[in-house]
Amino acid sequence: MRPIRTLLALTLATLPLTQTAPATARDRAPTVEEQRLEAAVPQEILRRSGFDDVAPGFARDLANTRSYARAERVVARAGRALWRRAVDRVQGRGPAGGDLSRDDDRPLYWARLGMTRALGEWRPGFPLPGARRAALLQSLERGSRGQDSLDLPAGKHIKRVVVTGFDPFQLDADVRRSNPSGAAALALDGATIRTADGPARVETAVFPVRWADFADGTVEHTLLPVFRPGPRRVDVFMTVSQGRVGRFDVERTNGAWRGGVPDNAGVSRTGTVPIPADVPTPHPQPQWTTTTLPHQRIVAADTGPAPVYDNTGVTEIPAGATAPVVRPDGPTPGSTARAGGGGDYLSNEIAYRATLLRDAVGLKVPGGHLHTPVLQFGPDNTDPSTGRITDPDFVRNREAITAQVRAVLTVAATSR
């Protein structure tokens, strides 16, 4: 991947001398994810969804910002507006903005990166130390992912449900990729589903595929407000990610191990899952956590065309041993985790973190992880070097996965 050329030189050349930024307002180099933006595929996705106006509009708003306090408001508003725009597009509200199918999660991902790049390159006319720029970037990330707007209702006659998804990933292999878990999150945000127990309100958020964000506590900081006791406490939660071809998996056991696969930033991390010091957690840190989703009922239910499995396998180092062993029926007492049912990447980690937090705060509700089938392009569109960004099979596959996630969630939210 060739590094992109930033617009910094052109920007500085057109700024009046009175707006030259002080030395404390150094710009941030584009991230690995942002460097992918200039490829033809991301640009086509943005153009064909109408989201190509997001980053330029945000950059203009930043250029007119004259104080840090104002910047905080601009960034927070822009992040939440992007999330709402993406949700509205997927759910059929307002103009589509282009011919890309409405169910697509990718416009949100690429538009957000355009915004983070604009914020990273912004040189305001007031001091902006690195820590303050990082705080603005964090605000933008959280707002544009729905992480700071989980708005669960109070009341005894409605269930409160939280679902999470992920960004597209493994983009260096195929930059066209979409993530069905992110698409499902956009489709379900704010929805009311009907269960045998009555209505259930769903709120959703999307997470990055980056080790560092997880180590910083993005999962716990998002979920803790709705996990703590109170009238808006969650009744059901389900973390969702993309898993294996042709099947759903309810992951029975989650492991406290990072396996080191590179993330979207090109970073690899191996070791025990690190828990932030500012969130409640059990001590000592357990090697394993377990789903409380009603896995037997989910597997038995007719939720859609793809089979759903109760995945009980793990990889462990048995007590007193040194070599990893695959266990098809879950971990043995005293063992050390090397992979949960969902593997040793960030899908396992979000499941581990969410269920660990559940246990730490004494939350007694159904909760755990669902892996979706891999989202596939049509058989005549598999070569990323020559393929189209979408095709009818690709759209149908994503829509089918989203519909089945909703059906699984309906079973999970029904107490009997």
Side-chain angles (χ1 to χ4, degrees):
M1 176 72 69
R2 291 178 299 174
I4 64 169
R5 294 179 299 173
T6 73
L7 298 178
L8 177 59
L10 292 175
T11 303
L12 291 177
T14 58
L15 282 174
L17 293 177
T18 56
Q19 290 192 2
T20 299
T24 54
R26 300 184 188 278
D27 61 299
R28 176 182 63 89
T31 66
V32 169
E33 286 184 280
E34 291 165 2
Q35 290 176 34
R36 300 186 183 106
L37 264 171
E38 293 307 310
V41 165
Q43 292 301 310
E44 183 178 353
I45 290 169
L46 291 171
R47 184 176 65 255
R48 292 178 60 181
S49 62
F51 277 52
D52 53 347
D53 65 353
V54 171
F58 179 58
R60 287 192 297 271
D61 289 342
L62 288 176
N64 293 324
T65 301
R66 299 291 180 262
S67 70
Y68 184 73
R70 175 63 179 166
E72 288 180 305
R73 294 191 293 272
V74 167
V75 169
R77 183 176 64 246
R80 290 177 181 172
L82 176 60
W83 173 254
R84 183 48 46 196
R85 179 172 171 178
V87 168
D88 286 348
R89 186 177 193 276
V90 169
Q91 296 186 12
R93 290 185 289 271
D99 67 344
L100 198 64
S101 65
R102 279 187 177 267
D103 65 298
D104 206 312
D105 60 305
R106 296 173 295 176
L108 171 63
Y109 176 70
W110 293 111
R112 181 193 303 114
L113 286 173
M115 294 174 74
T116 61
R117 185 176 69 178
L119 182 53
E121 294 176 345
W122 178 45
R123 294 180 66 85
F126 56 87
L128 186 63
R132 284 198 159 189
R133 191 188 297 272
L136 292 175
L137 285 162
Q138 175 74 355
S139 173
L140 177 59
E141 285 275 348
R142 288 183 58 77
S144 64
R145 296 179 176 282
Q147 294 176 2
D148 63 358
S149 55
L150 296 178
D151 186 20
L152 294 174
K156 297 181 179 179
H157 303 295
I158 189 166
K159 285 195 173 182
R160 290 162 286 275
V161 180
V162 168
V163 174
T164 69
F166 273 103
D167 287 347
F169 66 108
Q170 294 181 335
L171 296 169
D172 288 333
D174 190 345
V175 75
R176 302 176 301 162
R177 282 179 171 149
S178 161
N179 195 321
S181 69
L186 291 171
L188 288 166
D189 189 54
T192 298
I193 59 176
R194 301 293 170 181
T195 77
D197 298 336
R201 168 67 177 269
V202 185
E203 290 288 312
T204 72
V206 171
F207 286 92
V209 183
R210 295 190 298 251
W211 294 110
D213 296 67
F214 276 56
D216 289 341
T218 184
V219 173
E220 292 87 350
H221 296 149
T222 299
L223 296 179
L224 187 56
V226 296
F227 275 23
R228 281 179 165 147
R232 301 176 189 274
R233 194 181 203 185
V234 70
D235 296 305
V236 181
F237 69 90
M238 193 165 74
T239 56
V240 185
S241 65
Q242 181 176 240
R244 289 187 269 187
V245 173
R247 61 183 282 176
F248 282 84
D249 287 286
V250 181
E251 304 299 352
R252 183 81 72 88
T253 306
N254 318 297
W257 185 254
R258 303 175 135 194
V261 173
D263 62 13
N264 275 355
V267 174
S268 176
R269 290 288 182 268
T270 303
T272 300
V273 170
I275 305 301
D278 61 346
V279 299
T281 194
H283 295 285
Q285 181 178 345
Q287 287 294 301
W288 308 101
T289 64
T290 304
T291 189
T292 47
L293 290 172
H295 48 85
Q296 292 179 331
R297 284 197 288 111
I298 291 172
V299 169
D302 180 12
T303 56
V308 183
Y309 292 90
D310 173 20
N311 186 18
T312 58
V314 300
T315 302
E316 67 172 17
I317 298 177
T322 58
V325 175
V326 176
R327 298 287 190 193
D329 297 319
T332 57
S335 66
T336 300
R338 281 301 177 267
D344 56 12
Y345 197 39
L346 288 163
S347 55
N348 167 77
E349 184 159 331
I350 196 170
Y352 177 82
R353 289 180 181 276
T355 50
L356 187 68
L357 186 65
R358 173 202 65 195
D359 297 343
V361 300
L363 180 62
K364 307 295 185 182
V365 303
H369 193 77
L370 178 72
H371 260 124
T372 77
V374 172
L375 177 58
Q376 296 179 300
F377 288 96
D380 63 342
N381 190 30
T382 58
D383 186 346
S385 65
T386 60
R388 306 179 303 281
I389 67 166
T390 190
D391 61 60
D393 287 336
F394 186 65
V395 174
R396 280 193 297 269
N397 291 340
R398 188 168 50 212
E399 290 177 337
I401 292 171
T402 293
Q404 195 161 351
V405 169
R406 184 186 182 108
V408 169
L409 185 63
T410 302
V411 177
T414 303
S415 61
R416 57 186 183 280

